[in-house]
């Protein structure tokens, strides 16, 4: 990939507001990728990963439109750790490969900055893949409330989902930068704009 492409990885715990930060970069005119969207692409019906998942879990995880039933899979991930690891061993490599392909395409199109939302950035050991890593953080009770509302699950299940991920404090220690999301969307957008102005544009200017 072209070395002139500045790669920003955006991550954070479930419910933190990663997508909000990514949209903040989009508001600045930057192109972004979302690994959740890529995750859906790599398991579309008849793809290799789709066939492997169905072979592993059976047709119970197939919805009426033949897509994978994400709610059922999420329930498996929360309650059956062994099966979760098998699912991740199928899906994660496919996601990383497709992400790299799409980033390379962005580089060839002349983009100088690529922003990627990667929920499991540190869990997958991908920090060295990016020039800058950003963690979006929030209070624990806010995380639980947001997950409960987003996924229509009770607080206990929301806490189980969080427990599957690396501790938020550890992510913050590993990240180059942290933005707190206390529920004010515009404040997050402003923080993203400041980060881009002070860190990214300055580095791009030096490398030009």
């Amino acid at each position: 990939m072209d070395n002139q492409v500045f790669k920003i990885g955006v991550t954070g715990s479930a419910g933190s507001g990663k997508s909000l930060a990514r949209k903040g970069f989009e508001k600045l005119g930057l192109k972004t990728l979302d690994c959740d969207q890529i995750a859906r692409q790599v398991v579309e019906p008849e793809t290799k990963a789709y066939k492997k998942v169905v072979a592993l879990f059976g047709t119970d995880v197939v919805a009426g439109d033949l897509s994978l039933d994400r709610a059922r899979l999420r329930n498996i991930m929360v309650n059956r750790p062994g099966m979760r690891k098998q699912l991740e061993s199928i899906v994660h490599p496919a996601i990383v490969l497709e992400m790299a392909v799409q980033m390379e395409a962005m580089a060839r199109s002349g983009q100088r900055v690529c922003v990627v939302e990667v929920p499991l950035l540190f869990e997958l050991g991908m920090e060295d893949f990016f020039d800058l890593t950003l963690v979006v953080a929030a209070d624990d009770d806010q995380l639980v409330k947001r997950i409960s509302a987003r996924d229509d699950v009770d607080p206990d299940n929301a806490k189980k989902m969080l427990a599957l991920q690396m501790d938020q404090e550890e992510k913050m220690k590993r990240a180059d930068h942290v933005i707190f999301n206390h529920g004010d969307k515009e404040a997050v957008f402003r923080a993203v704009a400041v980060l881009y102005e002070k860190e990214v544009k300055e580095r791009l200017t030096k490398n030009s």
Side-chain angles (χ1 to χ4, degrees), residues 142-154:
Q142 289 181 314
L143 297 177
V144 171
K145 288 178 181 177
R146 291 171 186 167
I147 295 169
S148 297
R150 183 192 68 191
D151 297 336
D152 192 25
V153 297
D154 61 43

Side-chain angles (χ1 to χ4, degrees), residues 146-204:
R146 291 171 186 167
I147 295 169
S148 297
R150 183 192 68 191
D151 297 336
D152 192 25
V153 297
D154 61 43
D156 285 341
N157 272 325
K159 290 176 182 177
K160 286 182 180 179
M161 291 172 66
L162 283 172
L164 295 175
Q165 302 178 0
M166 181 183 292
D167 183 75
Q168 181 173 242
E169 292 296 325
E170 180 62 25
K171 291 181 181 181
M172 291 167 63
K173 289 178 184 176
R174 296 193 184 192
D176 296 317
H177 294 277
V178 178
I179 289 177
F180 286 92
N181 172 20
H182 298 298
D184 185 338
K185 179 173 68 174
E186 294 303 323
V188 173
F189 289 161
R190 288 194 297 270
V192 167
V194 169
L195 172 63
Y196 178 69
E197 194 70 28
K198 289 187 174 180
E199 295 292 334
V200 183
K201 287 184 71 174
E202 183 176 322
R203 296 197 203 181
L204 290 175

Side-chain angles (χ1 to χ4, degrees), residues 37-193:
Q37 184 177 6
I38 293 174
R40 290 180 173 85
Q41 293 171 356
V42 299
V43 292
E44 288 178 350
E46 300 311 310
T47 60
K48 288 182 180 179
Y50 173 91
K51 291 177 180 178
K52 289 181 180 180
V53 172
V54 175
L56 177 63
F57 294 102
T59 55
D60 284 348
V61 298
V62 178
D65 62 357
L66 298 184
S67 67
L68 293 179
D69 188 325
R70 293 175 66 84
R72 280 182 181 269
L73 287 173
R74 185 166 56 241
N75 186 59
I76 290 171
M77 292 186 72
V78 169
N79 296 299
R80 299 168 66 183
M83 297 296 279
R84 172 174 62 86
K85 290 181 180 179
Q86 292 183 65
L87 176 63
E88 290 175 343
S89 71
I90 295 171
V91 178
H92 286 171
I95 293 172
V96 173
L97 178 60
E98 181 60 25
M99 180 191 73
V101 168
Q102 293 190 25
M103 290 179 75
E104 187 172 348
M106 292 174 70
R108 288 199 305 268
S109 72
Q111 298 295 326
R112 293 198 65 199
V113 181
C114 179
V115 181
V116 190
E117 180 183 340
V118 191
L120 300 178
L121 190 155
F122 293 114
E123 288 88 338
L124 294 175
M126 294 181 64
E127 49 262 58
D128 291 339
F129 191 80
F130 296 95
D131 299 299
L132 183 148
T133 56
L134 167 64
V135 160
V136 184
D139 294 336
D140 290 343
D141 60 337
Q142 289 181 314
L143 297 177
V144 171
K145 288 178 181 177
R146 291 171 186 167
I147 295 169
S148 297
R150 183 192 68 191
D151 297 336
D152 192 25
V153 297
D154 61 43
D156 285 341
N157 272 325
K159 290 176 182 177
K160 286 182 180 179
M161 291 172 66
L162 283 172
L164 295 175
Q165 302 178 0
M166 181 183 292
D167 183 75
Q168 181 173 242
E169 292 296 325
E170 180 62 25
K171 291 181 181 181
M172 291 167 63
K173 289 178 184 176
R174 296 193 184 192
D176 296 317
H177 294 277
V178 178
I179 289 177
F180 286 92
N181 172 20
H182 298 298
D184 185 338
K185 179 173 68 174
E186 294 303 323
V188 173
F189 289 161
R190 288 194 297 270
V192 167

